Amino acid sequence: MTAAEVDRTRLAALHAEEEQRFIDLHPTSAHLATAAGEHLLAGVPMPWMTRWPGSFPLFVESAGGGRFTDVDGLDYVDLCLGDTGSMTGHCLPAVAEAVRERTERGITTMLPSTDATWVAAELSRRFGLPRWQMAMTATDANRFVLRFARHLTGRPRIAVMDWCYHGTVDETLGVLEHGRAGDRVVARPGALGPQVDVAVTTAVVPFNDLDALDSRLAEGDVACLLMEPALTNIGIVLPDEGYLAGVREITRRHGVLLVNDETHTICAGPGGATAAWDLDPDFVVIGKPIGGGIPVAAYGMTAEVAARLEGPMLGHDIDVAGVGGTLSGSALAMAAVRATLSSALRQEDFDVAIPLAESFTDGIQGVIDDHRLPWHVQRLGCRAEYWFCPPPRAGAEAAEAVDEELDAFFHLWTVNRGVLLAPFHNMSLFSPFHTQADVDAHTSVFRAAVEALTG
């Protein structure tokens, strides 16, 4: 059964049943959601919170490790983990203690803390780039790196992959009009009030297409290529064999700086895909996971790049250079990162989490095979996602395959049975706090959903 062959009438009926089940299970969350709607736009503090399954969001009472409890007293296996913000597991004791201790000694002074030195050295050890700077979010870090790249090269454009996602960086919110190399660059669907014309600021190329990349960069106007080593925000799209080596050769040949955004691909290991796959970028950006839940990000660079930036960094006007943020590199953030990287996201942690993701993938694939469905499950390190189509090779293919009705049904079915997926796609993330029982719980729930859908 392809997605097109799904009985949509049956799907709609099942979804309606699950919607009512959700309402019946969560009366306290329903009450709180109504109250929130009086003063919060759309009833939530951030727009994407409306993407959760159900007619209102769940309100969480507490979270710890790989689980959380909602305000109605229901317990859940959390396979979202804050969309990597808590991929370490919730409430790491070392981070909680470091944050408590730091708040008693001063949170921010606009001066460096000793923890910052340790953090930079540890990031250098993990990712292989020697010099680092801090930011509040990966979006900010990406913005700063793009500025540096344009400054260093004197070129006006940046390049990204079709259907990429790098936070709310304006220049990255563009796609190829029809998903083909050479198409006109247009604003990504859903982008509100574009601040820049992406057709002017941005070159867009399909993932896994070296010829398209070579042809576009040959025009000589691109300062840097900002990319994830594997696409993650349109579903997991893995690189073809030899693709990333080809990207590095092409960018070097055309004098284009290469930026790896590892905010999600750190799921591949302690140094992200950069270390796991022996990549050699000019910049690396890493965001939310390294703070154990505290807002923070960092960006690293090669010694050559750092040497060329030292002059501007020491200039009198650096505070108005478009690179900054008063709370970036705060003592609180640095204490949280040091505690996180000292106690989590280590090789021993991935040695637990990755096998769980492998077992998750095997379980889902088993259900797919048993029902002879042309669906697939894709894995990157301790992250996995299932799709209602064969594996795509590029972002446009993945975007075209999105089935919002099926996604909504599976999300609602699973959360009603105590398993939370990320609100985007069908992403699941594993931490060392998860267990095989958690994996089995999801496999069982997924199998039941498929059986209900297929009859």
Side-chain angles (χ1 to χ4, degrees), residues 91-143:
C91 295
L92 283 176
V95 175
E97 176 57 26
V99 168
R100 182 200 63 76
E101 191 272 341
R102 187 68 254 183
T103 58
E104 294 176 353
R105 294 196 296 122
I107 292 174
T108 184
T109 61
M110 288 188 71
L111 293 167
S113 67
T114 55
D115 288 335
T117 304
W118 186 96
V119 166
E122 176 63 9
L123 291 171
S124 178
R125 184 189 70 81
R126 286 174 176 242
F127 290 95
L129 281 79
R131 304 293 286 278
W132 289 80
Q133 286 277 279
M134 308 307 300
M136 283 286 289
T137 67
T139 290
D140 281 345
N142 281 322
R143 286 193 181 110

Side-chain angles (χ1 to χ4, degrees), residues 367 371 373 375 409-410 445-455:
V367 175
H371 289 80
L373 299 170
W375 301 353
F409 167 68
F410 276 91
V445 167
F446 179 78
R447 182 180 293 277
V450 171
E451 290 174 352
L453 188 61
T454 59

Side-chain angles (χ1 to χ4, degrees), residues 330-346:
S330 71
L332 179 67
M334 295 301 92
V337 177
R338 182 170 186 170
T340 301
L341 297 183
S342 297
S343 62
L345 301 177
R346 304 162 300 179

Side-chain angles (χ1 to χ4, degrees), residues 374-387:
W375 301 353
H376 87 284
V377 58
Q378 197 83 291
R379 183 184 64 82
L380 175 63
C382 60
R383 178 188 184 107
E385 297 183 352
Y386 46 87
W387 281 83

Side-chain angles (χ1 to χ4, degrees), residues 339-405:
T340 301
L341 297 183
S342 297
S343 62
L345 301 177
R346 304 162 300 179
Q347 188 59 55
E348 54 262 45
D349 300 305
F350 285 98
D351 287 344
V352 175
I354 289 177
L356 290 173
E358 292 172 340
S359 179
F360 174 93
T361 302
D362 291 343
I364 297 304
Q365 191 61 55
V367 175
I368 291 171
D369 292 345
D370 288 347
H371 289 80
R372 300 181 180 179
L373 299 170
W375 301 353
H376 87 284
V377 58
Q378 197 83 291
R379 183 184 64 82
L380 175 63
C382 60
R383 178 188 184 107
E385 297 183 352
Y386 46 87
W387 281 83
F388 310 113
C389 65
R393 290 185 57 250
E397 291 178 36
E400 180 67 24
V402 171
D403 190 314
E404 294 185 0
E405 292 179 343

Side-chain angles (χ1 to χ4, degrees), residues 136-157:
M136 283 286 289
T137 67
T139 290
D140 281 345
N142 281 322
R143 286 193 181 110
F144 302 160
V145 166
L146 298 187
R147 280 185 171 272
F148 284 139
R150 288 191 293 260
H151 169 77
L152 290 171
T153 64
R155 297 175 178 178
R157 291 183 189 261

